[in-house]
Amino acid sequence: MDIAQLNERSREIFRLVVETYLDTGDPVGSRTISKAGGIDLSAATIRNVMADLEQTGLLAAPHTSAGRIPTDTGLRLFVDGMMEVGNLTRSERESIQGTCSATGRIFEDVLSDATKALSGLSRCTSLVMVPKQDQAIQHIEFVSIAPDKALVVMVGQNGTVENRVVSLPPGLPASTLVQASNYLNARLAGKNLDDAKDHITCELQAHQVELDGLTTKVIEAGLAVWSGASSEAPASLIVSGQANLLENLEAAEDLDRIRGLFEALEQKKELIRLLDLAKDGRGVRMFIGAENNLFSLSGSSLVVSPYMNGANNVVGVIGVIGPTRLNYARIIPMVDYTAQVVSRLL
C-alpha cells in the first residue's frame, strides 16, 4: 500500500498510533489518540478509523489489549512515507569519529570498535560484515608462540599489519618456520591472497619445489588461515552489544524470540547472506520484522548501510539489530554516518 491511498484523517491517526507505539512500546487506544491533541475527533470516530486501518493490514490488535500496534507492513509504510529522519548531535558524531580512529591499528580492530560505538549510542546490537581482504602482500612471517602454535604475521603493501594463530604439526623444528617464511616471501610479494594461494597451491601439487612434509603443512596452514572465508562464506561478522536486545523485555515469549535470534546470530550464515543483499545498493537499507525469514519469529529489525573502499566500491556492511519498535528516525542517520566514517578510513 502507498501512503497516498489513505485519506488525510486516516494518515494522521495512523501517524499518531505509530509514533506513540514507538515511544511507549504499548498498544495504543483511541482515547490515547483523542487526548494527544492536534486532532478534533471523538474517541468513537478514532476507533472506527483504527478498525479500518486494521482491515488494511497496517495495524493489529494484540489479544491482551484493546489498543492497536503497527504491523511490520505498517512500520514499513510509516518509515518510507511519513517519518522525518533526525540529525546526529555534535557529540554523537565526535564519539563515532573518535572511536573509529585508524592510526596504527589493523582494519578489523577499527571495525570492531565501530560496532561498539554504534551499539553504545543506539542501545541496540550492532554488527559489521568484514570483507575478505584483497590487498597486496609485502611480507609474511611465522613466529613460534608454543610447541604446537605459531603466529602468522602479514604486512600489506598499504602498511597494515595483521596476525593469525595457526596450529603446528607435532615435533616441528624451528628451522621449518624459517623455511616456510622464506618460501612464501619469495613468491608473495605484490600478489593478493587469492593470487598467492592459487600460485603456491599449484607449485605444491606439482612438486616443483623440494620441501619436506612438515614445511608443506605449515605453508598450507598459513595460506588457509589468511585466505579466510570460503566461497560459501566470503566474509566474517563482528557482533557487539547483544545484551541490548534483552532490555525492556516484558514477557516470557519476548525472551524466547530473542533467544531464537541469538541462535541465528551464532550461526551467522543467514545474516551474512542478508547483508550481502544490502551491499547491492547505496545508502541505508532496512529489513523490518517478517520482511526477512531471519527476523520473522524474533520480532526484530535490521538497519544497515554499506561502506566503501578508496575506489568507491562497496566492500562491507555495518548496522544494528533491534526490536521492530526502533527509534528509526535516530538510528538511520547514526548507521549512515558510521558507514561514512568507516568509508573515509578506507
Side-chain angles (χ1 to χ4, degrees), residues 55-69:
Q55 287 187 339
T56 63
L58 298 179
L59 299 181
H63 65 278
T64 57
S65 171
R68 304 297 201 281
I69 63 173

Side-chain angles (χ1 to χ4, degrees), residues 32-202:
T32 301
I33 298 301
S34 65
K35 294 177 181 178
I39 186 166
D40 188 20
L41 295 171
S42 67
T45 301
I46 294 172
R47 187 159 50 249
N48 290 334
V49 173
M50 291 171 67
D52 292 339
L53 291 170
E54 183 178 357
Q55 287 187 339
T56 63
L58 298 179
L59 299 181
H63 65 278
T64 57
S65 171
R68 304 297 201 281
I69 63 173
T71 62
D72 293 341
T73 301
L75 285 173
R76 168 58 69 181
L77 184 69
F78 173 79
V79 169
D80 289 346
M82 304 183 74
M83 184 184 70
E84 294 184 5
V85 176
N87 294 314
L88 295 184
T89 65
R90 180 177 178 179
S91 63
E92 287 171 337
R93 290 173 179 267
E94 290 176 348
S95 177
I96 294 171
Q97 290 175 343
T99 305
C100 297
S101 173
T103 304
R105 305 165 66 210
I106 66 173
F107 180 52
E108 286 190 14
D109 286 346
V110 174
L111 291 179
S112 178
D113 284 347
T115 65
K116 292 175 183 176
L118 192 53
S119 174
L121 290 172
S122 67
R123 304 304 302 163
C124 295
T125 295
S126 62
L127 52 89
V128 61
M129 188 170 72
V130 185
K132 185 177 175 180
Q133 297 297 296
D134 196 34
Q135 62 172 306
I137 301 167
Q138 178 176 315
H139 184 78
I140 191 167
E141 192 81 23
F142 291 86
V143 180
S144 177
I145 57 175
D148 61 343
K149 293 284 190 299
L151 185 68
V152 189
V153 182
M154 186 181 74
V155 181
Q157 287 191 344
N158 61 359
T160 59
V161 179
E162 299 192 34
N163 306 305
R164 296 289 189 277
V165 176
V166 297
S167 297
L168 299 176
L172 186 76
S175 60
T176 300
L177 295 181
V178 176
Q179 188 178 8
S181 298
N182 292 338
Y183 172 81
L184 289 173
N185 283 316
R187 292 160 175 81
L188 291 184
K191 293 184 173 65
N192 62 35
L193 289 170
D194 284 337
D195 292 342
K197 183 180 179 182
D198 291 343
H199 175 78
I200 294 173
T201 299
C202 288

Side-chain angles (χ1 to χ4, degrees), residues 264-320:
L265 287 176
E266 287 301 318
Q267 294 175 355
K268 295 183 179 179
K269 290 182 179 179
E270 175 67 15
L271 188 53
I272 287 179
R273 188 193 68 79
L274 183 63
L275 294 178
D276 271 331
L277 294 177
K279 287 173 62 179
D280 293 338
R282 303 296 173 97
V284 177
R285 291 193 63 180
M286 287 163 288
F287 301 89
I288 299 175
E291 290 181 349
N292 182 267
N293 290 335
L294 182 62
F295 306 129
S296 60
L297 296 179
S298 64
S300 302
S301 290
L302 175 68
V303 181
V304 291
S305 182
Y307 59 88
M308 291 162 281
N309 60 16
N312 207 33
N313 296 319
V314 174
V315 293
V317 177
I318 191 166
V320 302

